[in-house]
Amino acid sequence: MKIIVLVKQVPNTSEIKIDKLTNTLIRKGVESIINPDDLAGVEEALKLKSRYGGTVTCVTMGPFQAESMIRTLYGLGVDHAYLISDPKFAGSDTYATSTILSSFLKTLEYDLIIAGYQAIDGDTAQVGPQVAEMLGLPQVGHLHAICDYQDGVLQVEREDETEILIIDVRLPALVTTLRRMNTPRLMNAWNAFRAPSKPFTLVRF
């Protein structure tokens, strides 16, 4: 199974500050982390790879400092990573972000795309569904669990307000994950050793 996970590096704070001149996040002096819902998606992708084989590729859009996040992802066991980075993308809203991501994803092969349900620096929950629409993919959001994969069909549990729904979705498809659906793994020694020197692809449009 070829799995792509959309990942975002976010400020580790609930107090987001915006530069009024550039309309971009002020990141100086603020610790950056992997968005929690996205990290849950990475963990689910690695579990699927372990059970069914395949590859896990992460795609992120942001400034070049996101390389540090990519090194962490490699340490967790991710196979490949792409960083879409260009100064003209600074301040992109969700529609622009989804357009850029989907345009790039059209150049890759995949069976499943996983996106975090929402990012803690925006809380819009729009990018995953917008990417699915732009790619013409079926989508299931707000996942509680990924249960099974058989004959091209992924079985998932979707968390609703009052119940858990079991849904079968035929791949290729896009799903969105919640941070509380799993506990992300720690780096193992071998992956951590290789992570600093493992190459990633810088993408500019």
Side-chain angles (χ1 to χ4, degrees):
M1 187 189 301
K2 295 178 181 178
I3 307 170
I4 294 175
V5 188
L6 304 182
V7 187
K8 185 179 183 182
Q9 188 179 55
V10 295
N12 187 17
T13 177
S14 60
E15 298 180 4
I16 304 300
K17 296 181 180 179
I18 304 294
D19 186 317
K20 294 181 180 179
L21 293 177
T22 63
N23 198 36
T24 58
L25 290 176
I26 298 175
R27 299 176 180 270
K28 186 175 181 180
V30 180
E31 178 192 14
S32 294
I33 61 172
I34 302 173
N35 183 59
D37 284 358
D38 301 349
L39 189 55
V42 172
E43 176 61 25
E44 288 299 309
L46 293 172
K47 287 161 59 177
L48 287 170
K49 174 187 171 183
S50 179
R51 290 172 65 185
Y52 305 109
T55 58
V56 176
T57 298
C58 284
V59 175
T60 187
M61 174 179 157
F64 195 76
Q65 73 178 46
E67 179 184 358
S68 62
M69 178 186 69
I70 290 174
R71 299 301 171 197
T72 299
L73 294 169
Y74 280 155
L76 296 175
V78 167
D79 298 292
H80 312 290
Y82 293 89
L83 171 58
I84 303 172
S85 185
D86 197 301
K88 64 176 175 280
F89 296 156
S92 293
D93 61 13
T94 59
Y95 184 81
T97 298
S98 300
T99 300
I100 294 164
L101 287 171
S102 60
S103 295
F104 176 66
L105 290 170
K106 289 176 182 178
T107 70
L108 303 180
E109 294 183 2
Y110 56 83
D111 299 299
L112 176 65
I113 298 175
I114 300 177
Y117 174 67
Q118 62 185 11
I120 61 173
D121 64 348
D123 290 338
T124 64
Q126 293 175 348
V127 170
Q130 286 175 339
V131 168
E133 286 294 317
M134 291 175 182
L135 294 176
L137 296 175
Q139 58 178 295
V140 184
H142 217 252
L143 291 199
H144 175 76
I146 295 178
C147 308
D148 193 22
Y149 171 68
Q150 196 170 40
D151 298 327
V153 176
L154 192 70
Q155 185 180 82
V156 300
E157 293 182 4
R158 182 185 187 277
E159 183 176 324
D160 208 341
E161 292 181 356
T162 58
E163 59 188 351
I164 301 295
L165 306 174
I166 298 176
I167 300 172
D168 288 344
V169 57
R170 180 164 293 280
L171 303 187
L174 183 148
V175 299
T176 66
T177 50
L178 297 167
R179 73 189 76 181
R180 60 181 177 272
M181 68 187 294
N182 60 41
T183 300
R185 68 192 62 195
L186 300 175
M187 295 186 190
N188 67 41
W190 174 240
N191 287 333
F193 174 76
R194 297 175 61 212
S197 59
K198 193 169 181 178
F200 67 94
T201 303
L202 179 63
V203 180
R204 295 193 185 277
F205 278 63

